[in-house]
Amino acid sequence: MSTQDPSSARLPSWALWSLVLAGTAVRYYHGASHQLWNGAPDQLAWGLGLEDLRATGTLTYEQLMHYPHEGGSLFLGPLSWLFGPLASLLPPLSWAALAVDTFARVVQIKVVQRLADHRTALWFAAWTVFAAPVMLPWGTVNFGLHAAFSFAPFLLAVLVLDPPRSLLRVGLCCGLLASLAYDAWVFAPAFALLLLTAETALGIRIRRSVQFGLGCALGFLPHLLLRLFAQDGFGLEDHGALSIRGLEQEPVDIGALPAKCWQVCTTSLPASFTLGAATDPLVRALSFIVLALLVGGAWGLRRQWGSLSPGMRTLVHTTVVFVCVVVAAPFFQPRSEGSGYLYYRYFAFIAPLIALLVLHGAAAWGRMGRLVRVAWIVLGVLLSVVYMVRTHPITTPNWEATGWVLARKYGDRPSLLMRIIQRAPTDHEPDLVYGAGWGLTAALFDGKTINDTAAVDTFEQLWQLFPRTQHQQLERGVLRAFDPGITPELDPALMPVLRDRMVY
């Protein structure tokens, strides 16, 4: 009779690939049946820019990628071209998202096999099939990249397991992954904490930390140089070299951080697994269950702390650092009525890691741990199935918002903007031009007053560069930017000034 611990039985390759392909099938079904990309103007705008590149036979940095801080989009854009023949099933960018999502789950499962026992790897692989609603839309919606590069901390953690691995090389990998998605930076302080708390001499700890930090800087340097010297669009907006859509300029209320921390930890984070609004009583109840499982997993990890590998400890640190960044940075603001995959987009980066920590922590609970694992898997399946059933398909693309996005990126060059707009179906061109007028005005006059004559002069110069046949529709979009309730909120005194400049 074998005395082998059943938890040591390795996950067969066929089982691994079956679970991965099942997860891909779930995401494909959700994407194809709900067409959420039609409500994602960032993806639509990016897709039109890529279509323009294919039509002109040129390659430009700014059109290959979308937002300049999303370095990974530089590779996803060309990847999408491989799926052109399948565009009747999903948009090429959605195929690229599905391919990267599949790759991410393979990496995550393979790493879990290294960091934990194979039984935990099997539970985790089973969870990835339906995961949670916070992950599903990103299987076919391609922007933001929080979910697409959620494998980054897993990949970095497995490097920690190899003692001969140069810390400079680990840092290089961290910097490179951070250049693809800035979320990966949360690994850097997490790993630095592991290095600084090691049981070695202080000088050695500091030297190792410096080596790691130098590697991070070198790995990130190519991305930084591109942001400094390559044309990446958004010429109408005065953002810094490492700006994240200007969100980093939002003020931070230090006194409000304790309350925000409580909201994020007890409400926003658990509610993100449902994508629902915290004001919904059912969401509150489900969030409480998620939170209870999180606390149970955390307590289990605490009991196992002495036996955890350095890689697993780093992942625990990474989760804590991520939560601290969400609380301290101005990017995410908790709202009781907030809901949907866009509102909770940041949590998609950390959700797979949290799932791993819950499932691994449950091992410390003995027989009760099995119930925790079953509950976590079943809850994820139920939430995802209900989410897919209750989500309404979006059959009509949001062309007006797409024009808004395009104008903010290419509005300083009307000829290029109009050329990209013309890649869309002809009957949608008026909506795109209308949105372009709206976005152009928002980009130029956000935070400006009637005294900013330079912005007004720039507006007039750009106005004259648009085709006269588009001026009427463009003017409608300009005036739309001043409607009540529209963000960003512009100075109303500017509207009559712009009216006078819109001559056609």
Side-chain angles (χ1 to χ4, degrees):
M1 180 180 295
S2 174
T3 59
Q4 184 182 26
D5 184 351
S7 68
S8 65
R10 187 172 182 83
L11 181 63
S13 294
W14 66 265
L16 166 63
W17 288 108
S18 296
L19 292 171
V20 169
L21 293 176
T24 301
V26 168
R27 286 153 181 77
Y28 174 84
Y29 167 77
H30 177 58
S33 59
H34 294 86
Q35 303 178 56
L36 296 183
W37 55 81
N38 285 328
D42 282 298
Q43 177 167 328
L44 295 172
W46 185 14
L48 288 177
L50 290 169
E51 194 62 33
D52 179 69
L53 288 185
R54 292 186 65 182
T56 58
T58 59
L59 290 177
T60 65
Y61 173 71
E62 64 175 333
Q63 286 178 247
L64 280 175
M65 64 192 307
H66 188 39
Y67 285 115
H69 67 278
E70 297 172 0
S73 60
L74 183 62
F75 305 100
L76 288 171
L79 175 63
S80 70
W81 288 339
L82 300 178
F83 298 98
L86 301 176
S88 60
L89 300 175
L90 293 178
L93 277 173
S94 292
W95 279 114
L98 191 60
V100 173
D101 180 275
T102 302
F103 171 79
R105 283 179 283 115
V106 171
V107 171
Q108 289 164 356
I109 295 170
K110 288 286 190 180
V111 170
V112 174
Q113 288 180 311
R114 289 282 309 278
L115 295 182
D117 60 90
H118 297 298
R119 176 164 292 180
T120 297
L122 178 58
W123 283 105
F124 178 78
W127 177 82
T128 63
V129 175
F130 283 90
V134 69
M135 301 302 299
L136 293 188
W138 302 106
T140 48
V141 174
N142 200 343
F143 67 95
L145 308 187
H146 305 288
F149 288 93
S150 60
F151 67 87
F154 289 80
L155 191 58
L156 291 167
V158 80
L159 296 179
V160 178
L161 295 181
D162 190 359
R165 184 80 66 179
S166 164
L167 290 172
L168 184 66
R169 194 181 308 174
V170 176
L172 281 170
C173 292
C174 183
L176 286 171
L177 287 170
S179 69
L180 302 180
Y182 287 4
D183 307 70
W185 274 128
V186 298
F187 178 85
F191 185 50
L193 178 62
L194 186 74
L195 294 176
L196 291 171
T197 55
E199 296 180 356
T200 57
L202 178 61
I204 295 176
R205 283 179 278 165
I206 293 176
R207 185 174 67 251
R208 289 164 62 86
S209 300
V210 170
Q211 289 175 347
F212 170 68
L214 179 60
C216 288
L218 291 175
F220 193 70
L221 184 60
H223 172 75
L224 178 59
L225 293 175
L226 280 174
R227 292 211 60 178
L228 285 171
F229 300 111
Q231 186 175 44
D232 54 21
F234 301 96
L236 298 177
E237 304 184 24
D238 185 20
H239 292 160
L242 293 178
S243 175
I244 304 176
R245 294 189 296 122
L247 293 176
E248 74 287 343
Q249 299 175 13
E250 295 293 323
V252 176
D253 184 356
I254 302 298
L257 291 184
K260 184 180 178 183
C261 181
W262 178 257
Q263 286 179 288
V264 168
C265 294
T266 63
T267 303
S268 301
L269 177 58
S272 70
F273 282 80
T274 73
L275 291 189
T279 53
D280 186 324
L282 179 58
V283 171
R284 284 202 300 271
L286 291 170
S287 298
F288 178 79
I289 297 174
V290 172
L291 182 60
L293 292 172
L294 292 179
V295 171
W299 183 251
L301 289 170
R302 178 67 183 87
R303 295 176 63 181
Q304 302 177 65
W305 191 255
S307 61
L308 292 181
S309 68
M312 189 64 73
R313 290 188 186 188
T314 305
L315 291 183
V316 175
H317 293 163
T318 300
T319 305
V320 174
V321 171
F322 176 88
V323 173
C324 291
V325 171
V326 169
V327 171
F331 307 119
F332 177 77
Q333 296 300 330
R335 302 195 313 270
S336 57
E337 75 284 1
S339 64
Y341 70 91
L342 186 59
Y343 171 71
Y344 287 117
R345 62 190 180 277
Y346 301 109
F347 296 101
F349 179 79
I350 208 70
L353 182 49
I354 289 176
L356 167 61
L357 297 182
V358 169
L359 294 170
H360 192 60
W365 291 94
R367 293 183 179 178
M368 182 63 69
R370 182 179 180 86
L371 295 177
V372 170
R373 287 170 162 175
V374 170
W376 182 256
I377 302 293
V378 170
L379 180 63
V381 172
L382 291 176
L383 289 174
S384 293
V385 170
V386 170
Y387 171 73
M388 287 189 286
V389 170
R390 296 182 64 178
T391 300
H392 298 292
I394 304 176
T395 56
T396 304
N398 190 343
W399 292 118
E400 291 180 359
T402 302
W404 187 92
V405 174
L406 286 171
R408 294 195 73 120
K409 184 167 186 178
Y410 305 108
D412 58 325
R413 285 159 292 160
S415 59
L416 174 59
L417 173 60
M418 290 306 303
R419 192 182 78 198
I420 292 175
I421 285 176
Q422 289 166 2
R423 302 303 174 192
T426 306
D427 54 336
H428 296 300
E429 187 174 309
D431 292 332
L432 285 163
V433 174
Y434 171 86
W438 176 11
L440 175 70
T441 309
L444 269 174
F445 298 105
D446 185 8
K448 304 291 179 60
T449 69
I450 194 173
N451 297 321
D452 292 298
T453 56
V456 175
D457 292 340
T458 300
F459 173 85
E460 184 177 14
Q461 294 167 9
L462 294 173
W463 173 267
Q464 297 300 331
L465 295 176
F466 282 94
R468 290 185 178 273
T469 55
Q470 303 291 354
H471 277 179
Q472 185 175 4
Q473 192 70 354
L474 199 68
E475 181 181 14
R476 291 184 59 243
V478 171
L479 299 180
R480 167 66 169 165
F482 292 93
D483 283 353
I486 294 296
T487 56
E489 186 175 345
L490 306 182
D491 181 3
L494 282 164
M495 186 167 64
V497 176
L498 298 187
R499 279 184 183 274
D500 294 338
R501 302 296 182 102
M502 290 186 288
V503 179
Y504 58 95

